[in-house]
Amino acid sequence: MKVGFIGLGQMGSGMAANLLKAGHQVSIYNRTAGKTENLVRMGAKAPGEIATVCASDAVMTMLANDDAVESVVFGNSGILQNLPRNAVHVSCSTISVALSQRLAAAHEGAAQNFLSAPVFGRPEAAAAGKLFVVAGGAADVINICTPLFEAIGQKTFVMSDRPEAANLVKLSGNFLIAAVIEALGEAIALIGKGGVDRQKYLDLLTSTLFNAPVYKTYGSLIVDGKFEPAGFAALLGQKDIHLALAAANTLRVPMPLASLIRDRFLTLLAQGGETLDWSAIGQLAAQDAGIIGGSS
Ligand SMILES: NC(=O)c1ccc[n+]([C@@H]2O[C@H](COP(=O)([O-])OP(=O)(O)OC[C@H]3O[C@@H](n4cnc5c(N)ncnc54)[C@H](OP(=O)(O)O)[C@@H]3O)[C@@H](O)[C@H]2O)c1
Protein backbone atom coordinates (compact mmCIF):
# COMPACT_ATOMS: atom_id res chain seq x y z
CA MET A 1 0.00 0.00 0.00
CA LYS A 2 0.94 3.62 -0.31
CA VAL A 3 1.24 4.63 3.33
CA GLY A 4 2.28 7.74 5.22
CA PHE A 5 3.83 7.43 8.68
CA ILE A 6 4.00 10.30 11.16
CA GLY A 7 5.94 10.09 14.44
CA LEU A 8 9.34 8.40 14.35
CA GLY A 9 10.04 8.05 18.07
CA GLN A 10 11.11 4.88 19.87
CA MET A 11 8.06 2.99 18.58
CA GLY A 12 7.33 4.67 15.24
CA SER A 13 10.82 4.27 13.79
CA GLY A 14 10.67 0.47 14.11
CA MET A 15 7.08 0.32 12.85
CA ALA A 16 7.86 2.40 9.75
CA ALA A 17 10.94 0.24 9.05
CA ASN A 18 8.78 -2.88 9.11
CA LEU A 19 6.27 -1.34 6.70
CA LEU A 20 9.17 -0.76 4.30
CA LYS A 21 10.49 -4.30 4.79
CA ALA A 22 7.01 -5.65 3.97
CA GLY A 23 7.16 -3.87 0.61
CA HIS A 24 4.84 -0.92 1.22
CA GLN A 25 5.61 2.47 -0.31
CA VAL A 26 6.27 4.54 2.79
CA SER A 27 6.48 8.28 3.11
CA ILE A 28 7.47 9.62 6.52
CA TYR A 29 7.29 12.77 8.63
CA ASN A 30 8.68 13.64 12.05
CA ARG A 31 8.67 16.96 13.90
CA THR A 32 12.43 16.63 14.43
CA ALA A 33 13.60 16.09 10.87
CA GLY A 34 16.89 14.28 11.65
CA LYS A 35 15.04 11.14 12.71
CA THR A 36 14.07 10.37 9.10
CA GLU A 37 17.60 9.68 7.83
CA ASN A 38 17.86 5.98 8.59
CA LEU A 39 14.47 5.23 7.05
CA VAL A 40 15.29 7.25 3.92
CA ARG A 41 18.35 5.03 3.50
CA MET A 42 15.97 2.06 3.65
CA GLY A 43 13.82 3.51 0.84
CA ALA A 44 11.32 5.81 2.56
CA LYS A 45 10.43 9.20 1.09
CA ALA A 46 10.70 12.15 3.49
CA PRO A 47 9.01 15.14 1.84
CA GLY A 48 9.37 17.27 4.99
CA GLU A 49 5.69 18.16 5.33
CA ILE A 50 2.58 16.43 6.57
CA ALA A 51 0.50 17.46 3.53
CA THR A 52 2.61 15.43 1.08
CA VAL A 53 2.79 12.42 3.39
CA CYS A 54 -1.02 12.43 3.36
CA ALA A 55 -1.19 11.73 -0.40
CA SER A 56 -1.53 8.04 0.48
CA ASP A 57 -4.08 5.23 0.90
CA ALA A 58 -3.49 5.38 4.65
CA VAL A 59 -1.66 7.58 7.12
CA MET A 60 -0.50 6.05 10.37
CA THR A 61 0.33 8.19 13.40
CA MET A 62 2.50 7.11 16.35
CA LEU A 63 2.83 10.25 18.45
CA ALA A 64 3.51 10.91 22.12
CA ASN A 65 0.15 12.08 23.43
CA ASP A 66 -3.18 13.83 22.78
CA ASP A 67 -1.56 17.24 22.22
CA ALA A 68 0.77 15.87 19.55
CA VAL A 69 -2.03 14.03 17.74
CA GLU A 70 -4.28 17.09 17.88
CA SER A 71 -1.63 19.35 16.39
CA VAL A 72 -0.75 16.91 13.60
CA VAL A 73 -4.38 16.17 12.70
CA PHE A 74 -6.21 19.46 13.30
CA GLY A 75 -3.35 21.92 12.78
CA ASN A 76 -2.81 24.03 9.67
CA SER A 77 -1.73 21.77 6.80
CA GLY A 78 -2.51 18.80 9.02
CA ILE A 79 -3.95 15.37 8.23
CA LEU A 80 -7.59 16.44 8.26
CA GLN A 81 -6.99 19.07 5.59
CA ASN A 82 -4.87 16.87 3.36
CA LEU A 83 -5.92 13.24 3.58
CA PRO A 84 -7.86 12.31 0.39
CA ARG A 85 -11.52 11.33 0.59
CA ASN A 86 -11.97 7.64 1.44
CA ALA A 87 -8.37 7.32 2.63
CA VAL A 88 -7.81 6.23 6.23
CA HIS A 89 -6.07 7.66 9.27
CA VAL A 90 -4.81 4.84 11.51
CA SER A 91 -4.03 6.19 14.96
CA CYS A 92 -1.59 3.91 16.84
CA SER A 93 -0.70 6.31 19.68
CA THR A 94 -2.00 5.70 23.19
CA ILE A 95 -4.49 8.57 23.41
CA SER A 96 -7.64 9.41 25.33
CA VAL A 97 -10.99 7.84 24.58
CA ALA A 98 -12.38 11.36 24.17
CA LEU A 99 -9.84 12.34 21.50
CA SER A 100 -10.44 9.09 19.64
CA GLN A 101 -14.17 9.91 19.49
CA ARG A 102 -13.36 13.42 18.29
CA LEU A 103 -11.04 12.09 15.58
CA ALA A 104 -13.65 9.60 14.36
CA ALA A 105 -16.25 12.36 14.04
CA ALA A 106 -13.88 14.80 12.33
CA HIS A 107 -12.68 12.27 9.76
CA GLU A 108 -16.23 11.16 9.06
CA GLY A 109 -17.13 14.81 8.48
CA ALA A 110 -14.32 15.06 5.91
CA ALA A 111 -15.42 11.82 4.15
CA GLN A 112 -12.26 10.12 5.40
CA ASN A 113 -11.97 6.88 7.38
CA PHE A 114 -10.56 6.51 10.87
CA LEU A 115 -9.25 3.50 12.78
CA SER A 116 -7.75 3.26 16.23
CA ALA A 117 -4.96 0.72 16.41
CA PRO A 118 -2.96 1.19 19.62
CA VAL A 119 -0.35 -1.46 20.28
CA PHE A 120 1.10 -3.57 23.08
CA GLY A 121 4.85 -4.18 23.08
CA ARG A 122 7.94 -2.11 23.81
CA PRO A 123 10.38 -0.62 21.25
CA GLU A 124 12.19 -3.97 20.83
CA ALA A 125 8.89 -5.58 19.80
CA ALA A 126 8.19 -2.66 17.44
CA ALA A 127 11.59 -3.11 15.79
CA ALA A 128 11.01 -6.86 15.44
CA GLY A 129 7.50 -6.48 13.98
CA LYS A 130 6.13 -8.36 17.00
CA LEU A 131 3.61 -5.88 18.38
CA PHE A 132 0.08 -6.85 19.36
CA VAL A 133 -2.34 -4.55 17.54
CA VAL A 134 -5.66 -3.65 19.19
CA ALA A 135 -7.96 -2.46 16.43
CA GLY A 136 -11.24 -0.58 16.50
CA GLY A 137 -13.29 0.72 13.57
CA ALA A 138 -15.39 -0.31 10.58
CA ALA A 139 -14.75 -3.92 9.56
CA ASP A 140 -14.24 -3.14 5.87
CA VAL A 141 -11.64 -0.47 6.70
CA ILE A 142 -9.87 -2.84 9.10
CA ASN A 143 -9.72 -5.39 6.28
CA ILE A 144 -8.12 -2.84 3.96
CA CYS A 145 -5.50 -2.04 6.61
CA THR A 146 -4.76 -5.64 7.61
CA PRO A 147 -1.53 -5.77 5.52
CA LEU A 148 -0.27 -2.79 7.52
CA PHE A 149 -1.09 -4.46 10.83
CA GLU A 150 0.59 -7.67 9.65
CA ALA A 151 3.75 -5.71 8.85
CA ILE A 152 4.03 -4.15 12.31
CA GLY A 153 2.63 -6.85 14.54
CA GLN A 154 2.43 -10.56 15.30
CA LYS A 155 -1.33 -10.53 15.91
CA THR A 156 -4.26 -8.16 15.54
CA PHE A 157 -7.21 -8.17 17.92
CA VAL A 158 -10.31 -6.47 16.51
CA MET A 159 -12.21 -5.24 19.58
CA SER A 160 -15.13 -3.28 18.19
CA ASP A 161 -16.47 -1.28 15.27
CA ARG A 162 -16.09 1.78 17.53
CA PRO A 163 -12.49 3.09 17.34
CA GLU A 164 -12.52 4.44 20.90
CA ALA A 165 -13.11 0.94 22.29
CA ALA A 166 -9.57 0.03 21.18
CA ASN A 167 -8.21 3.02 23.11
CA LEU A 168 -10.14 2.01 26.22
CA VAL A 169 -8.71 -1.52 25.96
CA LYS A 170 -5.17 -0.19 25.54
CA LEU A 171 -5.51 2.13 28.55
CA SER A 172 -6.94 -0.66 30.70
CA GLY A 173 -4.00 -2.87 29.67
CA ASN A 174 -1.43 -0.26 30.62
CA PHE A 175 -3.17 0.20 33.97
CA LEU A 176 -2.80 -3.57 34.52
CA ILE A 177 0.90 -3.50 33.60
CA ALA A 178 1.51 -0.58 35.98
CA ALA A 179 -0.32 -2.50 38.72
CA VAL A 180 1.99 -5.48 38.11
CA ILE A 181 5.04 -3.20 38.31
CA GLU A 182 3.86 -1.74 41.62
CA ALA A 183 3.05 -5.19 43.05
CA LEU A 184 6.41 -6.60 41.92
CA GLY A 185 8.21 -3.59 43.41
CA GLU A 186 6.56 -4.14 46.81
CA ALA A 187 7.14 -7.91 46.83
CA ILE A 188 10.78 -7.59 45.74
CA ALA A 189 11.40 -4.90 48.38
CA LEU A 190 9.95 -7.21 51.03
CA ILE A 191 12.06 -10.27 50.24
CA GLY A 192 15.12 -8.13 49.48
CA LYS A 193 15.04 -6.44 52.88
CA GLY A 194 14.51 -9.89 54.41
CA GLY A 195 17.84 -10.98 52.96
CA VAL A 196 16.54 -13.18 50.11
CA ASP A 197 18.33 -13.14 46.76
CA ARG A 198 16.11 -11.09 44.44
CA GLN A 199 17.13 -12.84 41.22
CA LYS A 200 16.45 -16.28 42.71
CA TYR A 201 13.09 -15.01 43.87
CA LEU A 202 12.22 -13.72 40.39
CA ASP A 203 13.33 -17.02 38.83
CA LEU A 204 10.96 -18.83 41.19
CA LEU A 205 8.03 -16.55 40.34
CA THR A 206 8.50 -16.56 36.58
CA SER A 207 9.03 -20.31 36.28
CA THR A 208 5.94 -21.18 38.34
CA LEU A 209 2.71 -19.23 38.90
CA PHE A 210 3.85 -15.99 37.26
CA ASN A 211 5.17 -17.40 33.99
CA ALA A 212 4.13 -14.45 31.84
CA PRO A 213 6.06 -11.89 29.74
CA VAL A 214 4.95 -8.97 31.88
CA TYR A 215 6.43 -10.46 35.07
CA LYS A 216 9.62 -11.49 33.27
CA THR A 217 10.23 -8.14 31.56
CA TYR A 218 9.38 -5.87 34.48
CA GLY A 219 10.68 -8.19 37.20
CA SER A 220 14.10 -8.16 35.51
CA LEU A 221 14.11 -4.38 35.11
CA ILE A 222 13.31 -3.96 38.83
CA VAL A 223 15.80 -6.57 40.06
CA ASP A 224 18.55 -5.13 37.81
CA GLY A 225 17.56 -1.53 38.67
CA LYS A 226 17.81 -0.88 34.91
CA PHE A 227 15.58 2.13 34.31
CA GLU A 228 17.80 3.86 31.74
CA PRO A 229 17.63 4.19 28.80
CA ALA A 230 13.85 4.29 29.02
CA GLY A 231 12.01 1.99 26.62
CA PHE A 232 8.76 3.58 27.77
CA ALA A 233 9.32 6.87 29.56
CA ALA A 234 7.77 7.52 32.98
CA LEU A 235 6.12 10.66 31.62
CA LEU A 236 4.23 8.55 29.06
CA GLY A 237 3.29 6.01 31.73
CA GLN A 238 1.88 8.75 33.91
CA LYS A 239 -0.08 10.01 30.89
CA ASP A 240 -1.67 6.58 30.43
CA ILE A 241 -2.76 6.23 34.07
CA HIS A 242 -4.19 9.74 33.86
CA LEU A 243 -6.11 8.77 30.67
CA ALA A 244 -7.36 5.52 32.22
CA LEU A 245 -8.67 7.51 35.20
CA ALA A 246 -10.26 10.08 32.87
CA ALA A 247 -12.14 7.27 31.10
CA ALA A 248 -13.09 5.79 34.48
CA ASN A 249 -14.38 9.18 35.54
CA THR A 250 -16.55 9.48 32.42
CA LEU A 251 -17.91 5.96 32.82
CA ARG A 252 -18.23 6.31 36.62
CA VAL A 253 -16.01 3.35 37.39
CA PRO A 254 -14.10 3.77 40.65
CA MET A 255 -10.54 2.44 40.26
CA PRO A 256 -8.84 2.84 43.66
CA LEU A 257 -5.74 0.95 42.55
CA ALA A 258 -5.34 3.22 39.51
CA SER A 259 -5.57 6.24 41.82
CA LEU A 260 -2.78 4.83 43.98
CA ILE A 261 -0.62 4.21 40.90
CA ARG A 262 -1.26 7.76 39.71
CA ASP A 263 0.30 8.94 42.98
CA ARG A 264 3.26 6.58 42.51
CA PHE A 265 3.96 8.24 39.15
CA LEU A 266 3.66 11.68 40.71
CA THR A 267 6.21 10.68 43.34
CA LEU A 268 8.60 9.42 40.66
CA LEU A 269 8.20 12.58 38.53
CA ALA A 270 8.52 14.86 41.59
CA GLN A 271 11.82 13.17 42.38
CA GLY A 272 13.20 13.86 38.90
CA GLY A 273 12.40 10.49 37.33
CA GLU A 274 10.72 11.88 34.20
CA THR A 275 13.14 10.33 31.72
CA LEU A 276 13.49 6.99 33.50
CA ASP A 277 11.59 3.95 32.26
CA TRP A 278 8.07 3.79 33.73
CA SER A 279 9.08 0.61 35.58
CA ALA A 280 11.05 2.91 37.94
CA ILE A 281 7.85 3.21 40.01
CA GLY A 282 8.83 -0.36 40.95
CA GLN A 283 11.76 0.92 42.97
CA LEU A 284 9.70 3.29 45.12
CA ALA A 285 8.77 0.51 47.55
CA ALA A 286 12.46 -0.26 48.10
CA GLN A 287 13.05 3.44 48.64
CA ASP A 288 10.20 3.66 51.17
CA ALA A 289 11.70 0.65 52.95
CA GLY A 290 15.04 2.43 53.27
CA ILE A 291 16.81 -0.12 51.04
CA ILE A 292 17.88 2.36 48.33
CA GLY A 293 18.08 6.15 47.86
CA GLY A 294 15.83 8.42 45.71
CA SER A 295 15.55 8.27 41.90
CA SER A 296 17.13 11.66 41.20
N1 LIG B 1 7.53 3.03 24.22
C1 LIG B 1 6.68 2.05 24.44
O1 LIG B 1 7.04 1.00 25.04
C2 LIG B 1 5.25 2.15 23.94
C3 LIG B 1 4.51 0.97 23.81
C4 LIG B 1 3.19 1.04 23.33
C5 LIG B 1 2.64 2.27 23.05
N2 LIG B 1 3.37 3.42 23.23
C6 LIG B 1 2.73 4.69 22.88
O2 LIG B 1 3.21 5.04 21.59
C7 LIG B 1 3.29 6.48 21.46
C8 LIG B 1 4.72 6.87 21.08
O3 LIG B 1 5.59 6.40 22.12
P1 LIG B 1 7.19 6.43 21.95
O4 LIG B 1 7.74 5.61 23.07
O5 LIG B 1 7.55 6.12 20.54
O6 LIG B 1 7.45 7.97 22.27
P2 LIG B 1 8.69 8.89 21.84
O7 LIG B 1 9.89 8.07 21.55
O8 LIG B 1 8.76 9.95 22.87
O9 LIG B 1 8.20 9.53 20.43
C9 LIG B 1 7.16 10.47 20.42
C10 LIG B 1 6.91 10.93 19.01
O10 LIG B 1 5.90 11.97 19.06
C11 LIG B 1 6.42 13.15 18.42
N3 LIG B 1 5.83 14.35 19.05
C12 LIG B 1 5.77 14.63 20.37
N4 LIG B 1 5.12 15.78 20.57
C13 LIG B 1 4.80 16.26 19.34
C14 LIG B 1 4.10 17.41 18.88
N5 LIG B 1 3.61 18.32 19.74
N6 LIG B 1 3.94 17.56 17.55
C15 LIG B 1 4.41 16.63 16.68
N7 LIG B 1 5.07 15.52 17.05
C16 LIG B 1 5.25 15.32 18.38
C17 LIG B 1 7.91 13.05 18.63
O11 LIG B 1 8.57 13.92 17.71
P3 LIG B 1 10.08 14.44 18.03
O12 LIG B 1 10.99 13.36 17.53
O13 LIG B 1 10.18 15.69 17.25
O14 LIG B 1 10.18 14.64 19.52
C18 LIG B 1 8.14 11.57 18.34
O15 LIG B 1 8.08 11.31 16.96
C19 LIG B 1 2.82 7.05 22.81
O16 LIG B 1 1.45 7.34 22.74
C20 LIG B 1 3.06 5.87 23.77
O17 LIG B 1 2.22 5.95 24.90
C21 LIG B 1 4.68 3.38 23.64
Side-chain angles (χ1 to χ4, degrees), residues 36 40 175 207 217 265:
T36 58
V40 167
F175 154 68
S207 55
T217 300
F265 276 107

Side-chain angles (χ1 to χ4, degrees), residues 199-222:
Q199 187 58 56
K200 268 193 194 166
Y201 175 73
L202 185 62
D203 291 344
L204 159 75
L205 292 183
T206 55
S207 55
T208 55
L209 297 182
F210 301 90
N211 184 9
V214 70
Y215 286 100
K216 291 177 183 167
T217 300
Y218 289 105
S220 293
L221 289 173
I222 293 168

